[in-house]
Amino acid sequence: MNQRFYTDKIIELLDNELQELRARNEPLTRAFFDNPEIQEQIKNQVKAIASIFKHAVPSDEHFREYYILALNEFKGNNATDILPSISLTKSKNKTWLSEERAAQIDWHYSERYFRYLKSLGRSQKIIAEARRSSLEVLKKIGDPEADNAFYIKGMVFGSVQSGKTTNFNAVINGAIDLGYPLIIVLSGIMEDLRVQTQLRVEDEVVGYGVIDVEKGNFGFKGVGEIKKFGELGDNAIKQIMIPTSQHADFNINIKRTEFAINHKNVLVCKKNSRVLANLVLWLSDQLAEGQNKHDIPFLLIDDEADNASLNNMGHKGKEYATTINGNIRALLGLFKRKTYLGYTATPFANVLQDRNETPLTKWPISYKEAGVTREKRFDLVDNLAPDDFVELLFPPSIYVGAKHFFETRLSEINKIEPLISPPVNDYHNSFPSRVFKDTEQAAKPGEKDTRASKKTDIFPRFLPESLKDAIRCFVISTALRLSRRPEMVSSKLYQPHNSMLIHISRFTLWQNRTKELVKTFVEELTTRLNTELPDGKESVYAELELTWIRHYAHIVQNIKSYLPDDYEDDFLTPKDYHKDIRSNLLTAITGIQVVAINSDNTSDALVYNKKSEKKYIAIGGNKLSRGFTLEGLTINYFIRNTDFADTLLQMGRWFGYRPGYLDCCKLFTTSANIHKFDTVSVTVEELEETFKEINKKDGRPKDFEIRVRDNPKVIKLTRNSILKNAESINVNYSMGMEQSTKFWINKNAIETAWTGFVEHIKRLKWEEDKTKDVFFHSTDAAGLFAFLELQNTFYDFDLPGVREYIELCNANGKLVSWKIGIRKNSGAREVVLLASSKSGLPGNINLTIRRGPREQASGRYDFLENNIFRVSDKSAQIITSGSDFGLTLNDDQMVEVKKKFLARREAGSATNIPDKDYRLAMNDQEGTLMIYLIDTKHVFTSPDGADKELEARAVELGIDTTIPLFGYALGFPEIKGDFGGNYVRVKQPDPITPEEGEEEEDEFPEELLEG
């Protein structure tokens, strides 16, 4: 009887105790986990179990070891919360999958899958939500028993690396149970991703396939180990067939015995135009004589649905389509009853894509027969836009995503800033975007007589120090995980693999040179670790200790102070360099494989075998940009450049779950990328909040499309090919809140801005609202514009089309009145008085306090080197309270806002009323501008107190810290009606030229798409 058996039994017993606790309506607290009586009771029960099975009773020492392991797993699982998914649907009719009909279904595949998830150690809450959310999706797809033709189009979206594949495998299993005999999964455009998805479908749906990737052995696995179906198991349940394999995508020469329409089949295919063409041709050949469509229900799941599937030619008219889009629509056109279901983390493009009608002309697909090129023509469905439903999945509380790394406006999110290293700024000579025309040497941006870098330029010639530093971090992070291995190796949460990702250029030749340089550096480190004395002052051990101090000492000791209260991970134990890390460094570096994952280097691959522990440093480009999961990913070196939201987020392979090693993770990237990620993070956050609001009002997918299309931040982050190269675009600020959170710290700018601000407010009439603790000025739109046009020190506070939007609203009797408020902060804990004589206000106020970045914070480099101050600690908010936007509300309205919030608030959730609740209560004739006067002296201190480096920087810049900064927060009510401010967007060509800039993710070289 092994350790895992006893651990699982202890977890079962703990769960029994928990159920009794809940039956008594008592809350789950830390006291439950620390209760010695429960431990003693379970110890006696374990002895009884050992006696029943006639095994040796575990010693006290062994029981303690098993109990701690079980408790750590149990705590992590039961402290994990997950919000239920929500949806927008076109039809408000009752679903065909009623409770009565669902009760009649034999959910064999689904129940086996959920049992499999439990065997992996997934928490009950996560499994319950996977069950619930997948059923919600199944209710919205087409009824497989319907007699009438149907074409249902839906989309599921959620955070990058958050578990969408779990949902779609649950949907596949459920669809099989419901009677869908043919399911095709389109898994990105890269074979590596297709293979990874193939293996997961084998594990989680089929139950049979490759069990050893390196040896190629076949057998039962995954769900097949839970229960076998078909002739080798329960022959009452038909076994699903999977004609594709780890080594083979769909091929037109496939034998009918391997893929027959009258069997249940699931295929995993690339979004490759030739593969899709072959599928269409083969399926058309299977049609019975006289038929032009198959009369079986068909489910097409499009993973990474915003990649390559979209019709970037749709703006030309319904007769135009890109090749892959046309082939997918031809595939769907072969069936009378079909459902298209897209999955993505970045829904911008899917929501914004063209919604053309069915074309009049048929779609041509060429093929060769006996050496002669022939052509067949096929009907297309109209489009792939998710008009019928959109489902939003929420990640569980243990997920670490963009909001934890970058800017967030949510007060309940804890930013873990030490996970981001100081911005990389030494890469230009190794990976230049431009070179000098005459010498072909690296040039910095802005230098003259340069040209764009080409793939044939000989770079890199050496590794930048920042990349070497990142590699040292990978060695240390691996050693740190090795030091925790004894405590965790028997846990189902244990991740045996270690990976590092290097994203430096789209040029494959550069990636391959980087691979050789990294290999050399790793070999040098290995030699030094083998030959130099650990206590030597000039040794590699001393160098790595400095790396530990710079990057790890603080976060490893303090990681739990950065985590939410409900984030439980007792495997994150503090470690010491000399006691725990140094002795593991040689083991950590031994066996590291350096690979370049690209189309020019097909011999390299990432093979994560469950039976062996791998250590990879992967240099990659497009192949690792979307969907692909790197197991045990800790270090990311990311200096590629793109302006597009979907590309940025999809490249964020570092998001996800990191039990037992979250503090090992580190992101190395540029200051420019951090700024872009900040914007993307807040934009996605806003769209999720928009989705929630539309859901509450029983809205439809079309409502979400309008809000996405008109969102000013989305416009700045979306590719021209999706916006049809529009020169003039409408923006809508309804229910929006725009705030300045970044400031340029410059002596002349601060002084000039303050002088102009004071002169302006002295000319205005100000009133006092003691209840709301503000001075306010009532004005019209012209008065608002006067404030927006004042000189200021805002950085990246761009409001495209806001004047046009407000003027259009004014013409329709909306947003005609504005209140300008300035917080008095009368109840501030820390008082920094600003006298009336200095501000021009009718009374004294206390300045708002916002501190500078901690030593470990990602914004520190920007502050010290670029003079950009970011309002940031746990969240990037300049507003001090949501009630700031109650400035236009009366007392009764304020009370009503609170009542509504308390009525919907769940126990244990945030107690602060969000600002949007107040803006929802505003009438559409009024808007609010809140102004915050910020104490500049505190800007040069950190949240930990006095900071000599920041103070010295203030002196160096000659900043008069008695002069305040001022910041804006602009709040809009809900404006009903199709109002849009006309924003003239500068047309920039999509950067898809072969030698310059960042390629569009949809626009890959033909050899990748054609195959």
Side-chain angles (χ1 to χ4, degrees):
M1 196 161 293
N2 60 25
Q3 181 186 34
R4 190 65 244 173
F5 173 86
Y6 281 119
T7 303
D8 287 340
K9 287 297 178 185
I10 293 170
I11 289 173
E12 286 180 21
L13 295 169
L14 282 166
D15 191 55
N16 292 339
E17 294 290 334
L18 177 59
Q19 299 314 314
E20 290 182 18
L21 181 84
R22 286 174 173 160
R24 298 192 298 268
N25 290 321
E26 295 180 21
L28 178 63
T29 64
R30 291 184 185 275
F32 172 85
F33 297 115
D34 298 335
N35 191 332
E37 293 180 8
I38 291 178
Q39 181 176 342
E40 188 62 29
Q41 184 178 327
I42 290 177
K43 181 179 178 181
N44 293 330
Q45 290 173 314
V46 167
K47 288 180 180 179
I49 291 170
S51 176
I52 291 170
F53 286 93
K54 297 182 180 180
H55 285 277
V57 176
S59 65
D60 287 350
E61 182 180 348
H62 281 139
F63 172 78
R64 179 68 181 161
E65 179 186 333
Y66 304 158
Y67 188 82
I68 290 173
L69 179 62
L71 190 65
N72 286 346
E73 283 189 28
F74 188 75
K75 285 168 72 174
N77 283 339
N78 282 278
T80 299
D81 283 318
I82 183 167
L83 292 172
S85 66
I86 57 177
S87 62
L88 305 177
T89 57
K90 180 180 179 180
S91 171
K92 299 307 172 185
N93 297 330
K94 286 186 177 180
T95 173
W96 59 269
L97 187 55
S98 63
E99 288 187 16
E100 293 77 14
R101 183 160 171 189
Q104 296 170 3
I105 304 293
D106 292 322
W107 298 97
H108 296 300
Y109 276 83
S110 295
E111 290 304 320
R112 181 175 73 162
Y113 179 53
F114 297 129
R115 285 173 58 196
Y116 171 68
L117 292 180
K118 184 178 180 181
S119 75
L120 296 179
R122 303 283 173 86
S123 79
Q124 289 184 359
K125 291 179 183 177
I126 289 178
I127 295 172
E129 174 53 17
R131 182 190 296 273
R132 194 206 63 80
S133 64
S134 60
L135 182 60
E136 286 302 310
V137 174
L138 291 168
K139 287 178 180 178
K140 299 174 182 73
I141 67 176
D143 179 358
E145 295 184 12
D147 294 326
N148 298 329
F150 62 76
Y151 176 33
I152 302 296
K153 298 176 289 181
M155 180 176 72
V156 179
F157 78 97
S159 304
V160 174
Q161 300 273 286
S162 66
K164 292 183 297 299
T165 307
T166 297
N167 180 273
F168 87 56
N169 277 334
V171 168
I172 292 173
N173 280 292
I176 294 168
D177 289 328
L178 289 171
Y180 272 86
L182 178 60
I183 301 168
I184 296 178
V185 178
L186 301 181
S187 183
I189 67 171
M190 298 294 183
E191 179 65 9
D192 304 67
L193 177 55
R194 191 204 70 80
V195 170
Q196 190 173 74
T197 306
Q198 169 85 26
L199 295 175
R200 279 202 65 173
V201 170
E202 288 177 3
D203 275 343
E204 300 181 16
V205 178
V206 182
Y208 185 87
V210 176
I211 55 176
D212 188 322
V213 175
E214 291 176 298
K215 295 180 181 178
N217 298 337
F218 282 76
F220 289 101
K221 62 177 186 172
V223 292
E225 293 179 315
I226 301 298
K227 186 176 181 179
K228 300 175 180 65
F229 294 158
E231 293 181 3
L232 297 178
D234 186 342
N235 59 15
I237 307 169
K238 281 191 176 181
Q239 172 64 45
I240 190 81
M241 307 296 291
I242 185 162
T244 54
S245 71
Q246 176 197 357
H247 300 293
D249 201 336
F250 178 81
N251 188 301
I252 199 166
N253 297 317
I254 194 167
K255 297 175 183 176
R256 290 178 185 269
T257 54
E258 296 172 355
F259 181 19
I261 288 293
N262 62 338
H263 291 161
K264 286 179 177 283
N265 294 283
V266 57
L267 293 84
V268 181
C269 305
K270 286 192 301 295
K271 275 185 275 190
N272 172 290
S273 60
R274 195 66 252 164
V275 169
L276 290 167
N278 287 341
L279 260 173
V280 174
L281 291 166
W282 193 90
L283 286 167
S284 71
D285 287 343
Q286 310 310 306
L287 287 166
E289 189 174 346
Q291 286 187 333
N292 64 352
K293 293 183 188 299
H294 290 288
D295 193 17
I296 61 171
F298 170 45
L299 173 61
L300 181 63
I301 291 181
D302 188 354
D303 195 18
E304 307 297 334
D306 60 322
N307 181 215
S309 303
L310 304 175
N311 184 11
N312 290 343
M313 295 175 66
H315 62 281
K316 294 183 178 181
K318 64 184 180 182
E319 304 300 330
Y320 294 85
T322 51
T323 306
I324 286 179
N325 175 268
N327 288 350
I328 292 173
R329 289 161 61 198
L331 177 61
L332 288 160
L334 283 171
F335 295 84
K336 290 181 182 178
R337 294 174 287 157
K338 63 264 186 178
T339 296
Y340 171 82
L341 182 58
Y343 278 80
T344 182
T346 47
F348 307 100
N350 298 81
V351 172
L352 296 174
Q353 67 181 294
D354 289 287
R355 286 163 164 76
N356 286 328
E357 297 176 351
T358 305
L360 299 175
T361 54
K362 294 197 173 191
W363 181 252
I365 293 181
S366 61
Y367 63 99
K368 283 193 175 181
E369 186 176 72
V372 178
T373 299
R374 302 186 186 278
E375 184 180 274
K376 277 189 177 182
R377 290 183 169 265
F378 298 90
D379 292 328
L380 299 186
V381 296
D382 50 4
N383 57 65
L384 306 179
D387 292 330
D388 291 297
F389 71 91
V390 180
E391 191 88 14
L392 170 59
L393 304 177
F394 295 101
S397 55
I398 55 172
Y399 173 78
V400 176
K403 299 170 189 175
H404 299 88
F405 281 82
F406 304 108
E407 193 164 305
T408 177
R409 303 286 163 81
L410 302 177
S411 58
E412 64 268 25
I413 296 292
N414 284 13
K415 287 187 67 177
I416 315 174
E417 292 203 303
L419 297 184
I420 303 181
S421 294
V424 174
N425 62 354
D426 64 346
Y427 65 93
H428 292 291
N429 288 330
S430 296
F431 310 108
S433 59
R434 303 193 69 81
V435 298
F436 288 107
K437 291 178 180 177
D438 52 353
T439 64
E440 297 189 350
Q441 297 296 310
K444 291 183 179 179
E447 292 188 301
K448 295 181 179 180
D449 297 321
T450 65
R451 60 165 174 81
S453 301
K454 302 177 184 178
K455 62 183 179 182
T456 52
D457 291 328
I458 310 299
F459 292 101
R461 297 161 187 170
F462 57 87
L463 297 180
E465 187 56 38
S466 59
L467 181 48
K468 292 181 180 179
D469 200 28
I471 295 168
R472 293 187 196 100
C473 282
F474 180 58
V475 176
I476 288 174
S477 72
T478 306
L480 176 54
R481 294 186 63 200
L482 283 170
S483 73
R484 290 175 178 157
R485 189 179 186 278
E487 307 157 24
M488 200 176 179
V489 68
S490 298
S491 169
K492 290 179 180 178
L493 303 177
Y494 177 63
Q495 166 57 262
H497 306 300
N498 292 268
S499 299
M500 173 181 179
L501 174 60
I502 299 175
H503 253 308
I504 44 89
S505 170
R506 68 189 176 94
F507 298 142
T508 56
L509 291 174
W510 291 28
Q511 295 166 19
N512 295 340
R513 286 193 198 94
T514 302
K515 169 190 169 180
E516 296 307 316
L517 291 170
V518 170
K519 278 181 69 175
T520 300
F521 183 66
V522 170
E523 288 166 2
E524 290 171 359
L525 283 178
T526 305
T527 300
R528 294 182 65 192
L529 285 167
N530 270 304
T531 58
E532 295 179 12
L533 296 175
D535 292 322
K537 292 183 179 180
E538 304 296 326
S539 73
V540 67
Y541 292 93
E543 290 177 14
L544 290 168
E545 183 176 7
L546 290 176
T547 304
W548 166 268
I549 291 169
R550 272 199 317 274
H551 293 288
Y552 287 102
H554 170 79
I555 189 65
V556 170
Q557 294 299 322
N558 298 283
I559 180 62
K560 294 193 176 181
S561 68
Y562 288 91
L563 301 176
D565 292 338
D566 60 350
Y567 191 111
E568 289 283 349
D569 188 348
D570 284 353
F571 293 115
L572 290 172
T573 50
K575 296 293 179 179
D576 176 79
Y577 178 78
H578 290 280
K579 293 179 182 177
D580 306 299
I581 307 303
R582 194 170 70 174
S583 59
N584 279 300
L585 290 171
L586 187 55
T587 306
I589 202 169
T590 302
I592 288 179
Q593 298 178 57
V594 183
V595 293
I597 308 299
N598 58 50
S599 55
D600 289 347
N601 205 8
T602 55
S603 60
D604 281 0
L606 296 170
V607 181
Y608 295 106
N609 198 320
K610 294 178 181 178
K611 297 182 179 180
S612 61
E613 299 183 6
K614 296 288 188 178
K615 288 177 269 189
Y616 284 118
I617 297 179
I619 297 96
N622 296 319
K623 280 196 171 188
L624 298 180
S625 292
R626 281 180 168 270
F628 193 88
T629 299
L630 286 88
E631 303 283 351
L633 182 63
T634 53
I635 308 301
N636 296 267
Y637 188 85
F638 179 82
I639 60 168
R640 287 182 67 182
N641 178 47
T642 179
D643 287 325
F644 304 129
D646 50 0
T647 309
L648 272 170
L649 280 180
Q650 290 289 359
M651 286 181 176
R653 299 290 95 197
W654 51 85
F655 305 139
Y657 307 98
R658 302 289 184 269
Y661 65 104
L662 178 60
D663 54 351
C664 299
C665 301
K666 201 70 64 177
L667 168 63
F668 290 78
T669 191
T670 65
S671 179
N673 276 343
I674 290 173
H675 284 304
K676 290 170 185 174
F677 272 114
D678 282 342
T679 304
V680 172
S681 176
V682 171
T683 303
V684 172
E685 202 171 84
E686 282 185 11
L687 292 180
E688 286 180 0
E689 292 301 309
T690 298
F691 194 97
K692 292 177 190 176
E693 290 301 323
I694 297 172
N695 167 263
K696 287 176 187 175
K697 296 174 183 177
D698 208 22
R700 291 167 167 76
K702 182 69 176 176
D703 301 319
F704 185 56
E705 177 212 338
I706 292 169
R707 293 288 290 276
V708 172
R709 187 179 297 278
D710 293 347
N711 185 294
K713 292 188 181 70
V714 171
I715 288 168
K716 291 193 289 184
L717 294 166
T718 303
R719 290 165 285 172
N720 283 330
S721 55
I722 299 302
L723 291 173
K724 308 177 216 41
N725 295 310
E727 294 184 45
S728 181
I729 298 170
N730 282 348
V731 293
N732 192 325
Y733 286 89
S734 173
M735 274 301 295
M737 194 267 283
E738 304 291 334
Q739 54 182 321
S740 55
T741 60
K742 297 175 184 175
F743 299 85
W744 185 39
I745 303 301
N746 174 276
K747 172 183 169 60
N748 292 334
I750 292 172
E751 293 175 1
T752 303
W754 178 249
T755 299
F757 178 77
V758 171
E759 287 176 356
H760 182 67
I761 65 174
K762 280 182 176 179
R763 293 194 293 265
L764 305 177
K765 178 185 177 182
W766 293 88
E767 301 174 67
E768 183 177 8
D769 187 327
K770 292 184 178 179
T771 303
K772 294 187 173 75
D773 196 36
V774 295
F775 290 117
F776 69 91
H777 167 66
S778 298
T779 186
D780 55 12
L784 169 73
F785 296 149
F787 273 96
L788 296 181
E789 290 165 1
L790 288 175
Q791 186 167 340
N792 59 65
T793 60
F794 307 156
Y795 177 85
D796 195 25
F797 183 63
D798 183 19
L799 302 177
V802 70
R803 174 186 280 272
E804 293 82 357
Y805 175 71
I806 293 172
E807 288 175 345
L808 183 60
C809 287
N810 284 179
N812 288 272
K814 303 178 189 296
L815 294 180
V816 292
S817 299
W818 286 83
K819 278 195 175 179
I820 316 294
I822 297 180
R823 289 279 305 193
K824 290 174 58 184
N825 297 317
S826 299
R829 294 179 185 175
E830 196 168 351
V831 175
V832 181
L833 190 72
L834 178 67
S836 170
S837 58
K838 188 170 182 179
S839 69
L841 292 167
N844 299 338
I845 69 167
N846 291 322
L847 293 175
T848 297
I849 292 176
R850 290 290 184 268
R851 300 182 188 275
R854 286 185 171 90
E855 190 172 345
Q856 297 285 329
S858 57
R860 194 171 180 93
Y861 176 87
D862 258 356
F863 196 178
L864 294 175
E865 299 296 326
N866 298 326
N867 304 326
I868 297 170
F869 165 59
R870 289 196 287 162
V871 175
S872 180
D873 188 16
K874 289 186 176 179
S875 68
Q877 293 268 39
I878 192 173
I879 65 172
T880 54
S881 168
S883 62
D884 291 356
F885 289 96
L887 185 58
T888 65
L889 307 182
N890 61 38
D891 293 345
D892 290 340
Q893 289 174 313
M894 295 289 283
V895 169
E896 187 62 23
V897 168
K898 186 174 182 180
K899 278 184 181 178
K900 287 182 178 179
F901 170 74
L902 293 175
R904 75 169 193 274
R905 176 179 169 265
E906 295 180 4
S909 62
T911 57
N912 297 325
I913 304 175
D915 58 88
K916 72 174 184 295
D917 286 30
Y918 294 96
R919 286 184 280 111
L920 269 172
M922 293 165 62
N923 73 62
D924 61 10
Q925 297 176 37
E926 298 177 311
T928 302
L929 173 64
M930 287 300 299
I931 300 175
Y932 301 88
L933 305 184
I934 302 170
D935 178 43
T936 307
K937 185 175 182 179
H938 277 86
V939 166
F940 289 91
T941 65
S942 87
D944 301 319
D947 189 309
K948 291 183 179 179
E949 189 175 27
L950 296 182
E951 291 170 2
R953 186 61 175 161
V955 173
E956 183 183 347
L957 294 173
I959 303 297
D960 182 349
T961 57
T962 66
I963 297 176
L965 300 173
F966 63 89
Y968 289 169
L970 193 62
F972 294 87
E974 183 178 22
I975 308 287
K976 294 180 180 178
D978 191 14
F979 299 107
N982 195 38
Y983 164 47
V984 179
R985 183 176 191 253
V986 178
K987 284 175 63 176
Q988 300 288 349
D990 279 338
I992 56 174
T993 55
E995 295 177 352
E996 182 173 353
E998 186 67 42
E999 73 279 20
E1000 263 211 63
E1001 292 298 297
D1002 285 349
E1003 309 275 351
F1004 283 91
E1006 280 300 303
E1007 63 267 21
L1008 288 179
L1009 298 180
E1010 293 292 345

